[in-house]
Amino acid sequence: MSKKAQPQLRHLCLSLTLLAITLAGASAAPAATDPIPLISQLAPLTAPPGTAGMTVLVNGTGFVQGAVVNWNGSPRSTQYISEAQLSVTPLLSDLILPGTVAITVQNPAGVSNVAHFQIANPQPALGFSGPQVPINGQAYSLTAGDFTGTGILDLVSGNNLNSSISISLGNGDGTFGSGQSYGVGASDTLALLAADFNGDGKLDVAAVADGSTSVVSILLGNGDGTFQAPLDLVVTSGELLTSVVAADFNADGKLDLAIMGNSNTVLVALGNGNGTFQTPRSFTVGNDSEWAAVGDFNQDGILDLAVANYVDSTVSVLLGNGDGTFRPQSIYTTGTYPGSIVTGDFNGDGKLDLAMTARTSNASVYAASVLLGNGDGTFQAQTEYTIGDEPAQIVTGDFNGDGKLDLATVNACGDDPNCGSTSSATISILAGNGDGTFQNHLDFPAGFQASQIVEGDFNDDGKADLATASGTLYVLLQTSAALSSGALLYPGQDLGVSSTPQVVTLTNTAALPLVIAGIQLTGSNPGDYAFTTTCTATLQSGANCTISVTFDPTAEGTRTAFVSITDSALGSPQNIALTGTGLAPAIVISPTSLTFPTTLVGRSATPMAVSISNPGDASLNISSITVSGNFTLHNGCGSSVGAGEGCVLTVNFRPTLGGVRTGVITIYDNVPGSPQTVTLTGTGTYFKLSTTAVSFGDVALGHAVHKALTLSNTATTSQTVNRISITGQNANEFSQTNNCGSSLGAGASCQITVTFKPTTKGAAGATLQVNGGGGTETATLAGSGT
């Protein structure tokens, strides 16, 4: 089917590249010196409920020192890594329940687009089903966003038969209220974009409309799901506008627009920060450029554009200059007739890739054309993955919750080669393998003659859902077996004591009976939980049953598991995440080893300390503390250390013999793994130097000064003199002579004479070492050449 032969279908397949930029900053746009940041991708994309101790990398462009990552609008601990990367550490409570988190980055200039982090378990099988949403008109274009500030996604559709848009407010369960309509500047709203164009923290809408005068209508949001009268930006006279993206292309803290049409240019309109825009400036691209994606493709911190050229079967990459202008295009071959385009890191190498709808060399077969990025603004040769017929738009997201980016296309004609008005549309899901390749497509019904698609978690279960514009709106949810709670939390349960039961209700929301094949405990610590259930093998449509779960921890700390329900619902098994905390004492010993300095036999070394702390939730009971070897201790802990408290053991060393002496502190307590130990080491010696520090003062170059030291043997037996030497940085400036011989008799002494003869000016230092008598005695040597 040629393009010329199907002008209406071609018109149908033109649509929006969604870049949902939600600014949640101050009520008035500040004087901006920093850019509005752009999030390109999170890593990881998803986490199972109950995950603990994780950080999330936020990748993008335009991050500044002091930028803060917001987690559902609330700031979280943020680390600045670079202008392209931040890391955020969520609270433990942030990750307990299934759901989808709205993540934004806040610079002084404003707040970024929204990136969604999914808290859900991986779905081994995908399925979509859901309701239709009535609207006031015939939906052609579509976007999603939180227009009421409630944390619930709403839908805005553009009507193909009149000059209006309609908003359908979300109820948070995948259903939507009937739409309220607002007029726009021209007929045939072909594309919509949700963003905050005036920096008041309220989501606005840009509507790209075709008519005798092609305009972009900006409808400023009031924050309650209503909009003000449109502000119209006249773009061209009579040109068919097809899509729009928004980003801060000149880094002035104000959102700009890049507008596409069926021409060979992209129009860039710089924003004024109040919902109005400057006269667009055009930049040359390929023929019939209808879709664009924005990202930092060469990793220089400046936003770039990628534009799909329908007639040329190419993609143009325009690297940004950072001032709202772009360098001349670089061109890369794609599949035939590329359309909708998205960007994402499909192979996890930290470099943005491209994917777009296209045809294969066989004109009747359609594909997603994927070009992996090299990180320098260039791209590798395309790889094609087949999809359904007449794809109208492509989006990306993690649909199966495995942490890898997938692709979804909405296919206007499904598998109907005749592509008539009654053709059943489909969505094709291409599951990503995480290495830039994709699995064979899975198709699901999506209304009739669908033109656009948008991704979002419309029922906040942590799973990515879809909505399509097909005259009416179709909401495609990933669930038909609803749980009253997807996670249970058991805080502070004593070991060996069973908790009070918590109950979850399972409801069959499907039209057909739900067949339950089995319910079992899985995960890391299934033995810490038990359940009873009223669920039988079959749950009728609309009926419910209960699962009652208790927690009986076998160990201290966080204990996790899942109640896994295997059934006939889409996305089976359904999982209830279980997180409990076992209360028990804990012990932290610091240090776990002590080394005492060389000490004369029969003398005591300076005491050293060992600290004991109990970071647990119950008392640390100490039954005994023993010590061995030439060591003694004072027990400052007593028989018990309270939760969150600590104490100190004082350890003494008094060697009874020369040489290395060892011992062990053994602590018997009520912590698993008892007893705990601390290793002790010291060295006893019979040799004693008359001084441990010798100063020669200032000595003229070429002159020598001599100092005498006495070495005594304190033992009652003769002791071997192994070695007397001088070491250190300036050892060549010093020398020694002695009359000690190879041994010293009991109670005997000898003399060591150290000479300092400087050869260079300045301070000099070394160490006299005497090895023998069971240990090594030392004396520091210091002098200065003048």
Side-chain angles (χ1 to χ4, degrees), residues 10 138 274 391 461 527:
R10 175 180 172 277
Q138 184 169 346
N274 60 358
D461 61 354

Side-chain angles (χ1 to χ4, degrees), residues 13 61 77 104 168 187 197 356 408 511 611 637 673 680 691:
C13 291
T61 309
S77 176
T104 57
S168 302
S187 62
F197 296 113
M356 62 208 78
S611 66
C637 297
L680 306 174
T691 182

Side-chain angles (χ1 to χ4, degrees), residues 482-496:
L483 294 168
S484 60
S485 175
L488 298 178
L489 179 64
Y490 300 83
Q493 188 65 33
D494 290 341
L495 276 91

Side-chain angles (χ1 to χ4, degrees), residues 400-581:
N400 57 3
D402 64 353
K404 303 168 186 175
L405 274 182
D406 311 315
L407 295 172
T409 64
V410 60
N411 312 308
C413 302
D415 294 321
D416 183 359
N418 297 318
C419 200
S421 59
T422 60
S423 296
S424 296
T426 62
I427 55 171
S428 291
I429 303 292
L430 294 167
N433 296 315
D435 58 359
T437 65
F438 295 86
Q439 300 173 30
N440 293 334
H441 66 99
L442 300 173
D443 293 342
F444 304 94
F448 297 92
Q449 276 282 10
S451 54
Q452 291 190 11
I453 187 173
V454 67
E455 179 268 345
D457 184 2
F458 300 118
N459 58 348
D460 197 28
D461 61 354
K463 304 171 186 176
D465 307 313
L466 294 165
T468 65
S470 304
T472 185
L473 300 182
Y474 280 81
V475 178
L476 306 171
L477 303 176
Q478 281 203 60
T479 181
S480 61
L483 294 168
S484 60
S485 175
L488 298 178
L489 179 64
Y490 300 83
Q493 188 65 33
D494 290 341
L495 276 91
V497 179
S498 184
S499 71
T500 301
Q502 294 192 47
V503 178
V504 174
T505 301
L506 172 65
T507 303
N508 179 13
T509 62
L512 298 175
L514 179 69
V515 178
I516 301 175
I519 303 176
Q520 61 181 334
L521 289 164
T522 63
S524 299
N525 312 114
D528 287 26
Y529 297 87
F531 73 89
T532 59
T533 181
T534 63
C535 300
T536 58
T538 302
L539 189 63
Q540 298 299 321
S541 176
N544 60 61
C545 60
T546 61
I547 302 168
S548 180
V549 185
T550 57
F551 175 46
D552 186 356
T554 61
E556 80 282 0
T558 302
R559 312 292 288 172
T560 61
F562 296 94
V563 176
S564 185
I565 308 163
T566 304
D567 52 40
S568 59
L570 299 175
S572 174
Q574 281 76 40
N575 290 311
I576 306 169
L578 308 176
T579 303
T581 301

Side-chain angles (χ1 to χ4, degrees), residues 689-697 707 709 725-728 734 754 756 764-770 777-783:
L689 283 169
S690 57
T691 182
T692 58
V694 182
S695 176
F696 292 86
K707 298 281 186 177
L709 296 84
S725 61
I726 294 176
T727 63
F734 300 86
V754 180
F756 174 48
T767 301
L768 173 68
Q769 291 188 339
V770 180
E777 284 290 285
T778 63
T780 60
L781 310 175

Side-chain angles (χ1 to χ4, degrees), residues 173-205:
D173 59 358
T175 64
F176 293 80
S178 58
Q180 182 176 351
S181 297
Y182 297 86
V184 294
S187 62
D188 292 348
T189 304
L190 300 186
L192 293 171
L193 172 68
D196 182 2
F197 296 113
N198 61 348
D200 64 352
K202 303 169 184 176
L203 204 58
D204 312 315
V205 169

Side-chain angles (χ1 to χ4, degrees), residues 12-18 140 190-191 242-245 260-261 266 288-293 306-310 315-316 338-342 356-357 392-394 451-453:
L12 175 67
C13 291
L14 303 176
S15 55
L16 165 71
T17 296
L18 173 63
Y140 177 83
L190 300 186
T242 55
S243 67
V244 61
V245 294
M260 307 306 303
V266 55
D288 205 354
S289 52
E290 299 177 353
W291 290 82
V307 178
N309 306 310
Y310 186 88
V315 59
S316 296
S340 174
I341 182 172
V342 292
M356 62 208 78
T357 59
Q393 190 177 4
I394 189 170
S451 54
Q452 291 190 11
I453 187 173

